[in-house]
Amino acid sequence: MIYITGDVHADFSRFKNPALKKLKKQDALIICGDFGFIWDGSPKERKLLKKIGKLPYNVLFVEGTHENYDLLEQYEVSEWCGGKTRLISGRLRQLMRGQVFEIAEKTVFAFGGGQTEDIYELTEGSNWWAREIPCGEELAEGLENLERAGNKVDFVVTYEPPSKMQDFLLGDGDRNHINTYLSEIYEKIEFKSWFFGKLHMNKLIPPKYYAVYDGIVTADNTKITKKKEK
């Protein structure tokens, strides 16, 4: 079983959602970017990462635009369930860009990274990292891995939406090359559902797109659980 949620921004209360009690050892919660728990390297932060890694299910995330890439890249890259990951702690892993995974008997294409819109108000290496933007090598690797998978997966998990969904939800506006790349993928592959987190909304766009934020989506159907514990 795979559950999906959006930006966590280092808020542990997301993991207290009663829906997650159904998840077992082989199951997973996937976070669509802005995990946020790898930010300052403090003892409190490291303690929380260990706590998340001890949860009784896999916690997996793709990167968004609120990650400290200097700290994130200190974790060793290793293969897991068919694709490259960074093991953070216990059952907690980053799903690296452009990888195809076999998770809970489902195939998942993961592509994190995004583009901050207000970078001129931010400071490189302090609260913004240029490495949030995927490079050409990562874009090419994603296409190659999808081709090896026969251009067919069960689920797509990204931070940015494809430009088609960006335009539908926000109106025609600024697109970045990631949105365009993801739209190219949309035209190439078969998939059951596509989940993205950047837009900070919980919304199903029929028949198979999901903008996810603080809700939790069961990947195999349209149910979104919004209730949180106090």
Side-chain angles (χ1 to χ4, degrees):
M1 187 181 301
I2 299 175
Y3 282 12
I4 312 284
T5 193
D7 301 19
V8 175
H9 285 288
D11 180 3
F12 189 81
S13 68
R14 188 74 54 86
F15 300 105
K16 297 179 181 179
N17 190 304
L20 299 178
K21 293 180 180 179
K22 299 177 183 178
L23 297 181
K24 308 299 182 185
K25 181 178 179 180
Q26 71 275 14
D27 300 327
L29 172 68
I30 304 180
I31 299 164
C32 296
D34 284 357
F35 178 62
F37 283 95
I38 301 174
W39 188 252
D40 60 20
S42 65
K44 179 181 178 181
E45 184 174 88
R46 292 195 295 270
K47 184 177 180 180
L48 280 170
L49 291 172
K50 288 183 179 180
K51 187 176 181 180
I52 295 169
K54 290 179 180 178
L55 291 170
Y57 50 87
N58 296 295
V59 178
L60 312 169
F61 68 93
V62 299
E63 328 89 276
T65 58
H66 191 79
E67 326 287 358
N68 183 327
Y69 284 85
D70 290 335
L71 292 178
L72 181 59
E73 291 172 2
Q74 291 178 16
Y75 291 93
E76 185 176 350
V77 175
S78 61
E79 186 169 311
W80 178 81
C81 290
K84 291 187 291 187
T85 70
R86 287 190 173 95
L87 174 60
I88 309 301
S89 175
R91 300 183 191 278
L92 172 61
R93 293 176 180 268
Q94 173 206 358
L95 302 180
M96 295 184 68
R97 297 170 184 168
Q99 305 298 302
V100 176
F101 300 92
E102 291 284 342
I103 302 170
E105 301 182 346
K106 301 292 184 180
T107 52
V108 179
F109 175 68
F111 202 93
Q115 186 167 321
T116 301
E117 296 166 1
D118 57 349
I119 60 174
Y120 298 107
E121 301 174 12
L122 304 175
T123 303
E124 168 73 23
S126 176
N127 53 11
W128 176 75
W129 283 262
R131 298 192 301 285
E132 70 179 24
I133 302 172
C135 66
E137 182 178 338
E138 291 167 328
L139 302 179
E141 185 174 5
L143 294 174
E144 291 168 4
N145 286 333
L146 283 169
E147 186 173 351
R148 277 195 287 270
N151 285 322
K152 184 177 182 180
V153 296
D154 291 303
F155 307 127
V156 179
V157 178
T158 62
Y159 176 66
E160 292 274 2
S163 55
K164 177 181 178 180
M165 288 297 103
Q166 172 119 342
D167 293 347
F168 176 78
L169 293 169
L170 301 181
D172 292 341
D174 293 337
R175 299 178 183 177
N176 57 51
H177 76 286
I178 311 165
N179 306 134
T180 303
Y181 170 77
L182 294 176
S183 281
E184 292 172 1
I185 285 177
Y186 162 79
E187 298 293 340
K188 286 177 178 287
I189 70 172
E190 296 179 41
F191 61 94
K192 293 180 180 178
S193 301
W194 186 314
F195 306 90
F196 54 90
K198 184 180 182 181
L199 301 185
H200 286 195
M201 63 176 72
N202 299 303
K203 187 175 180 64
L204 163 64
I205 305 94
K208 53 187 179 180
Y209 283 101
Y210 298 82
V212 290
Y213 180 35
D214 56 354
I216 293 178
V217 182
T218 53
D220 282 312
N221 60 50
T222 59
K223 182 179 179 182
I224 299 178
T225 303
K226 298 181 182 178
K227 181 181 177 181
K228 299 179 183 179
E229 284 191 357
K230 294 182 179 179

